[in-house]
Coordinates of all heavy atoms in Angstrom, one line a residue:
N1 N 0.8 -1.2 0.0 CA 0.0 0.0 0.0 C 0.9 1.2 0.0 O 2.1 1.2 0.2 CB -0.9 0.0 1.3 CG -2.1 -0.9 1.1 OD1 -2.9 -0.6 0.2 ND2 -2.2 -1.9 1.8
D2 N 0.3 2.4 -0.3 CA 1.0 3.6 -0.3 C 0.6 4.4 1.0 O -0.2 3.9 1.9 CB 0.7 4.5 -1.4 CG -0.7 4.8 -1.6 OD1 -1.4 5.0 -0.7 OD2 -1.2 4.8 -2.8
V3 N 1.2 5.5 1.3 CA 0.9 6.2 2.5 C -0.5 6.7 2.7 O -1.0 6.8 3.8 CB 1.8 7.5 2.5 CG1 1.7 8.3 3.7 CG2 3.3 7.1 2.3
N4 N -1.3 6.8 1.6 CA -2.6 7.3 1.6 C -3.6 6.1 1.9 O -4.8 6.5 2.1 CB -3.0 8.0 0.3 CG -2.1 9.1 0.0 OD1 -1.7 9.9 0.9 ND2 -1.8 9.3 -1.3
M5 N -3.2 4.9 2.2 CA -4.1 3.8 2.4 C -4.9 4.0 3.6 O -6.0 3.5 3.7 CB -3.5 2.5 2.3 CG -2.6 2.3 3.5 SD -2.1 0.6 3.6 CE -1.7 0.5 5.3
L6 N -4.4 4.7 4.6 CA -5.1 4.9 5.9 C -5.7 6.3 6.0 O -6.2 6.6 7.1 CB -4.1 4.5 7.1 CG -3.6 3.1 7.1 CD1 -2.6 3.0 8.2 CD2 -4.8 2.2 7.3
E7 N -5.7 7.0 5.0 CA -6.2 8.4 5.0 C -7.6 8.4 5.4 O -8.5 7.6 4.8 CB -6.0 9.0 3.6 CG -6.3 10.4 3.5 CD -5.9 11.0 2.2 OE1 -4.7 11.3 1.9 OE2 -6.8 11.1 1.3
G8 N -8.0 9.2 6.2 CA -9.3 9.4 6.7 C -9.7 8.4 7.8 O -11.0 8.3 8.1
L9 N -8.7 7.7 8.3 CA -9.1 6.7 9.3 C -9.8 7.3 10.5 O -10.8 6.7 11.0 CB -7.7 6.1 9.8 CG -7.7 5.1 11.0 CD1 -8.4 3.8 10.5 CD2 -6.3 4.8 11.4
S10 N -9.5 8.4 11.0 CA -10.2 9.0 12.1 C -11.6 9.4 11.8 O -12.4 9.7 12.8 CB -9.4 10.2 12.6 OG -9.2 11.2 11.6
L11 N -12.0 9.5 10.6 CA -13.3 9.9 10.1 C -14.3 8.8 10.0 O -15.4 8.9 9.9 CB -13.3 10.6 8.8 CG -12.4 11.9 8.7 CD1 -12.3 12.4 7.3 CD2 -12.8 12.9 9.7
L12 N -13.8 7.5 10.2 CA -14.6 6.3 10.0 C -15.5 6.0 11.2 O -16.4 5.2 11.1 CB -13.8 5.1 9.7 CG -12.9 5.1 8.4 CD1 -12.1 3.9 8.3 CD2 -13.9 5.3 7.3
G13 N -15.3 6.6 12.3 CA -16.1 6.4 13.5 C -16.0 4.9 14.0 O -16.9 4.3 14.6
L14 N -14.7 4.5 14.1 CA -14.5 3.1 14.6 C -14.7 3.1 16.0 O -14.4 4.0 16.7 CB -13.0 2.7 14.1 CG -12.8 2.6 12.7 CD1 -11.3 2.2 12.5 CD2 -13.7 1.6 11.9
K15 N -15.2 2.0 16.5 CA -15.4 1.7 18.0 C -14.4 0.8 18.6 O -13.6 0.2 17.9 CB -16.8 1.1 18.1 CG -18.0 1.8 17.4 CD -18.4 3.1 18.1 CE -19.5 3.8 17.4 NZ -19.4 5.2 17.4
R16 N -14.6 0.7 19.9 CA -13.7 -0.1 20.7 C -13.8 -1.6 20.2 O -12.9 -2.4 20.5 CB -13.9 0.0 22.2 CG -13.6 1.3 22.7 CD -13.8 1.3 24.3 NE -13.9 2.7 24.8 CZ -12.9 3.5 25.1 NH1 -11.6 3.0 24.8 NH2 -13.0 4.7 25.5
T17 N -14.9 -1.9 19.6 CA -15.1 -3.4 19.2 C -14.5 -3.6 17.9 O -14.5 -4.8 17.4 CB -16.6 -3.7 19.1 OG1 -17.3 -2.7 18.3 CG2 -17.2 -3.6 20.5
D18 N -14.1 -2.6 17.2 CA -13.4 -2.8 15.9 C -11.9 -3.0 16.1 O -11.4 -2.7 17.2 CB -13.6 -1.5 15.0 CG -15.1 -1.2 14.7 OD1 -15.8 -2.3 14.4 OD2 -15.5 -0.1 14.7
E19 N -11.2 -3.6 15.1 CA -9.7 -3.9 15.2 C -9.1 -3.4 13.9 O -9.6 -3.6 12.8 CB -9.7 -5.4 15.4 CG -10.2 -5.9 16.7 CD -10.0 -7.4 16.8 OE1 -8.9 -7.9 16.7 OE2 -11.0 -8.1 17.0
I20 N -7.9 -2.9 14.1 CA -6.9 -2.7 13.0 C -5.7 -3.5 13.3 O -5.1 -3.4 14.3 CB -6.6 -1.1 13.0 CG1 -7.8 -0.3 12.8 CG2 -5.5 -0.8 12.0 CD1 -7.6 1.2 13.0
I21 N -5.4 -4.3 12.4 CA -4.3 -5.2 12.5 C -3.4 -4.9 11.3 O -3.7 -5.2 10.2 CB -4.7 -6.7 12.5 CG1 -5.7 -7.0 13.6 CG2 -3.5 -7.6 12.6 CD1 -6.4 -8.3 13.5
L22 N -2.2 -4.3 11.6 CA -1.4 -3.9 10.5 C -0.2 -4.8 10.5 O 0.6 -4.9 11.3 CB -0.9 -2.5 10.9 CG -0.2 -1.6 9.8 CD1 -0.6 -0.2 9.9 CD2 1.3 -1.8 9.7
F23 N -0.1 -5.4 9.2 CA 1.0 -6.4 8.9 C 2.1 -5.6 8.1 O 1.8 -4.9 7.1 CB 0.5 -7.5 8.1 CG -0.3 -8.5 8.8 CD1 -1.6 -8.3 9.0 CD2 0.2 -9.7 9.2 CE1 -2.4 -9.2 9.7 CE2 -0.5 -10.6 9.9 CZ -1.8 -10.4 10.2
Y24 N 3.3 -5.6 8.7 CA 4.4 -4.9 8.0 C 5.6 -5.8 8.0 O 5.6 -6.8 8.5 CB 4.7 -3.6 8.8 CG 5.3 -3.8 10.2 CD1 6.7 -3.8 10.4 CD2 4.5 -4.1 11.3 CE1 7.2 -4.1 11.6 CE2 5.0 -4.3 12.6 CZ 6.4 -4.3 12.7 OH 6.9 -4.5 13.9
S25 N 6.5 -5.3 7.2 CA 7.8 -6.1 7.1 C 9.0 -5.1 7.0 O 8.7 -3.9 7.1 CB 7.8 -6.9 5.7 OG 7.9 -6.0 4.7
K26 N 10.1 -5.7 6.9 CA 11.4 -4.9 6.8 C 11.3 -3.9 5.6 O 11.9 -2.9 5.5 CB 12.6 -5.6 6.9 CG 12.8 -6.2 8.2 CD 14.1 -7.0 8.4 CE 14.1 -7.6 9.8 NZ 15.1 -8.4 10.1
N27 N 10.5 -4.4 4.6 CA 10.4 -3.6 3.3 C 9.5 -2.5 3.5 O 9.5 -1.5 2.8 CB 9.8 -4.5 2.2 CG 10.7 -5.7 1.8 OD1 11.9 -5.6 2.0 ND2 10.1 -6.8 1.4
A28 N 8.5 -2.4 4.6 CA 7.6 -1.3 4.8 C 7.4 -1.3 6.3 O 6.6 -2.0 6.8 CB 6.4 -1.6 4.1
S29 N 8.3 -0.6 7.0 CA 8.2 -0.6 8.4 C 8.2 0.8 9.1 O 8.4 0.9 10.2 CB 9.4 -1.4 9.0 OG 10.6 -0.8 8.7
H30 N 7.9 1.8 8.3 CA 7.9 3.1 8.8 C 6.5 3.8 8.7 O 5.9 3.7 7.6 CB 9.0 4.0 8.1 CG 10.4 3.5 8.3 ND1 10.9 2.5 7.5 CD2 11.3 3.9 9.2 CE1 12.1 2.2 8.0 NE2 12.4 3.1 9.0
L31 N 6.2 4.5 9.7 CA 4.9 5.3 9.6 C 5.3 6.8 9.6 O 6.3 7.1 10.4 CB 4.1 5.1 10.9 CG 3.5 3.7 11.0 CD1 2.8 3.6 12.4 CD2 2.5 3.3 9.9
T32 N 4.5 7.7 9.0 CA 4.7 9.1 9.2 C 4.2 9.5 10.5 O 3.4 8.8 11.1 CB 4.1 9.8 8.0 OG1 2.6 9.6 8.2 CG2 4.5 9.4 6.6
M33 N 4.7 10.6 10.9 CA 4.1 11.2 12.2 C 2.6 11.4 12.1 O 1.8 11.0 13.0 CB 4.9 12.4 12.7 CG 4.4 12.8 14.0 SD 4.6 11.6 15.3 CE 6.4 11.6 15.5
D34 N 2.1 11.9 11.0 CA 0.7 12.2 10.8 C -0.1 10.8 10.8 O -1.2 10.8 11.5 CB 0.5 12.8 9.5 CG 1.0 14.3 9.4 OD1 1.0 14.9 10.5 OD2 1.1 14.8 8.3
L35 N 0.4 9.8 10.2 CA -0.3 8.5 10.2 C -0.3 7.9 11.7 O -1.3 7.4 12.1 CB 0.3 7.5 9.3 CG -0.2 6.2 9.2 CD1 -1.8 6.2 8.9 CD2 0.4 5.3 8.0
H36 N 0.8 8.1 12.3 CA 0.9 7.5 13.7 C -0.1 8.3 14.6 O -0.9 7.6 15.4 CB 2.3 7.8 14.3 CG 2.4 7.5 15.7 ND1 2.4 6.3 16.2 CD2 2.5 8.4 16.8 CE1 2.5 6.3 17.6 NE2 2.6 7.6 17.9
K37 N -0.2 9.6 14.5 CA -1.2 10.4 15.2 C -2.6 10.0 14.9 O -3.5 9.8 15.8 CB -1.0 11.8 14.9 CG 0.2 12.5 15.6 CD 0.1 14.0 15.2 CE 1.4 14.7 15.3 NZ 1.3 16.0 14.9
E38 N -2.9 9.7 13.6 CA -4.2 9.3 13.2 C -4.6 7.9 13.8 O -5.6 7.7 14.3 CB -4.4 9.3 11.7 CG -5.8 9.2 11.3 CD -6.1 9.7 9.9 OE1 -5.2 10.2 9.2 OE2 -7.3 9.8 9.7
L39 N -3.6 7.0 13.8 CA -3.9 5.7 14.3 C -4.1 5.8 15.8 O -5.0 5.1 16.4 CB -2.6 4.7 14.1 CG -2.5 4.1 12.7 CD1 -1.2 3.5 12.5 CD2 -3.6 3.0 12.6
E40 N -3.4 6.6 16.5 CA -3.6 6.8 18.0 C -4.9 7.5 18.3 O -5.4 7.3 19.5 CB -2.4 7.5 18.5 CG -1.1 6.7 18.5 CD -1.1 5.5 19.4 OE1 -1.6 5.5 20.5 OE2 -0.8 4.5 18.8
S41 N -5.5 8.1 17.4 CA -6.7 8.9 17.6 C -8.0 8.0 17.6 O -9.0 8.4 18.1 CB -6.9 10.1 16.7 OG -7.3 9.6 15.4
V42 N -7.9 6.8 17.0 CA -9.1 6.0 16.9 C -9.3 5.2 18.2 O -8.4 4.8 18.7 CB -9.1 5.2 15.6 CG1 -9.0 6.0 14.4 CG2 -8.0 4.1 15.6
Q43 N -10.6 4.8 18.3 CA -10.9 3.9 19.5 C -10.6 2.5 19.3 O -10.6 1.7 20.2 CB -12.4 4.1 19.9 CG -12.7 5.5 20.4 CD -14.2 5.6 20.9 OE1 -14.8 4.5 21.2 NE2 -14.7 6.7 20.8
A44 N -10.6 2.1 17.9 CA -10.5 0.7 17.7 C -9.1 0.1 18.3 O -8.1 0.8 18.5 CB -10.3 0.5 16.1
K45 N -9.2 -1.2 18.6 CA -8.0 -1.9 19.1 C -7.0 -1.9 17.9 O -7.3 -2.1 16.7 CB -8.3 -3.4 19.3 CG -9.4 -3.5 20.5 CD -9.7 -4.9 20.7 CE -11.0 -5.1 21.6 NZ -11.5 -6.4 21.5
R46 N -5.7 -1.8 18.2 CA -4.7 -1.7 17.2 C -3.6 -2.8 17.5 O -3.2 -3.0 18.7 CB -4.0 -0.4 17.2 CG -4.9 0.7 16.7 CD -4.3 2.1 16.9 NE -3.9 2.4 18.3 CZ -4.7 2.8 19.2 NH1 -6.0 2.9 19.0 NH2 -4.2 3.1 20.4

């Protein structure tokens, strides 16, 4: 995926019962600070 794949994540209204499971590898193991903040802002389990 590209950096924009999680764009708008905080607008989805995810709940505590929802889950985000992010599979990464050494080929793709970096998050931008904006994406990190957006992931931290949602209620879903990560």
Side-chain angles (χ1 to χ4, degrees):
N1 280 295
D2 58 39
V3 180
N4 299 324
M5 68 167 204
L6 296 174
E7 191 173 278
L9 175 65
S10 59
L11 303 175
L12 296 177
L14 299 179
K15 306 287 185 218
R16 293 182 198 280
T17 56
D18 297 320
E19 297 177 54
I20 298 169
I21 305 167
L22 196 142
F23 287 82
Y24 67 96
S25 70
K26 291 182 181 179
N27 297 332
S29 62
H30 296 86
L31 296 174
T32 64
M33 186 55 72
D34 288 339
L35 181 52
H36 172 71
K37 286 183 202 174
E38 191 152 11
L39 279 164
E40 290 300 310
S41 73
V42 297
Q43 291 184 27
K45 297 175 195 165
R46 293 170 304 281

